[in-house]
Amino acid sequence: RPMKRATWFVLVTFGLLAGTASAEPSLQTLVTNNLAEPYGVAVDIDNNIFVTDSANNRVARYNPNSGTLANLAGVPGETGNNDGLGVLAHFFNPQGIVAARGGLVIADSGNHLIRRVGFDGIVSTLAGGPAGFADATGAAARFNSPAGLAVDAAGNIYVADMGNGRIRKIDSNNAVTTVASGLARPTAVSVNNITGDLYVADPDTHSVRVIRT
């Protein structure tokens, strides 16, 4: 009988502990209609949500108040690299996106470009050209399938230059430099704005790397 009482105590204790465990947050689908392989997400100060709708070759804006998804820039179903008015500009497999430069900065992966999209939809190219590798300024710089993006407190843009296995930096003058090399195929980058360290997802090596600055 003492053993039975001890077992009962253990079971009750376990039940009380399980009952006090915090519940997981609920997982809800915010938007799915009219999206095709969404890759990146950014949020502005008004809580609008911007999505790189990569297979549709566009940047979409979701208004959580009205529940509407609208095209901000790019022509769904069409590829290209021309700048200009959003509904006439073109992208090719846009991936990374960050709120920066007074608008949005986009890694236009299929075009090997880094683009800016204003909140008014106007598209311009910050850096890049044909696929390749070159540290230079603006259109003279070269990327190879840029993917993830991050921005630091000074406004510098960091690029996971996937095809080149490097992390690149774009300063306020659109000068592109290499921060780190020797990565396999980096797809995402994040910056610690306190230390300046960079964290990189490197899927081919199944690792997260850190770049100490």
Side-chain angles (χ1 to χ4, degrees):
R1 293 184 65 83
M3 286 299 293
K4 290 182 180 179
R5 283 197 296 272
T7 303
W8 174 252
F9 176 77
V10 171
L11 290 173
V12 170
T13 303
F14 178 79
L16 290 172
L17 290 173
T20 59
S22 59
E24 290 186 4
S26 61
L27 180 64
Q28 300 176 343
T29 298
L30 184 65
V31 58
T32 184
N33 290 341
N34 301 316
L35 293 176
E37 299 180 19
Y39 189 96
V41 177
V43 182
D44 70 8
I45 59 173
D46 295 321
N47 206 34
N48 292 300
I49 299 168
F50 299 89
V51 182
T52 46
D53 191 10
S54 62
N56 279 327
N57 303 307
R58 66 168 180 163
V59 179
R61 174 169 47 201
Y62 177 75
N63 185 322
N65 296 318
S66 63
T68 56
L69 183 73
N71 191 42
L72 178 66
V75 181
E78 296 183 12
T79 61
N81 61 9
N82 58 292
D83 293 334
L85 187 65
V87 295
L88 300 176
H90 287 80
F91 295 87
F92 183 17
N93 191 27
Q95 296 193 7
I97 180 172
V98 289
R101 304 282 184 99
L104 303 163
V105 176
I106 311 292
D108 190 3
S109 189
N111 283 320
H112 316 289
L113 302 173
I114 306 301
R115 319 278 294 276
R116 179 188 180 276
V117 180
F119 293 123
D120 57 1
I122 301 298
V123 179
S124 58
T125 296
L126 302 179
F133 171 75
D135 283 340
T137 299
R142 294 290 180 267
F143 301 90
N144 188 349
S145 301
L149 299 176
V151 59
D152 68 13
N156 297 302
I157 307 297
Y158 294 90
V159 182
D161 191 3
M162 184 169 59
N164 282 321
R166 290 174 164 88
I167 300 299
R168 317 286 293 283
K169 174 183 173 182
I170 307 175
D171 70 12
S172 59
N173 295 315
N174 295 333
V176 179
T177 54
T178 296
V179 175
S181 58
L183 298 156
R185 193 173 174 81
T187 57
V189 59
S190 182
V191 59
N192 183 326
N193 279 318
I194 297 176
T195 65
D197 294 341
L198 300 170
Y199 298 89
V200 181
D202 198 12
D204 283 13
T205 61
H206 311 287
S207 60
V208 175
R209 317 287 288 276
V210 60
I211 302 166
R212 306 290 186 190
T213 59

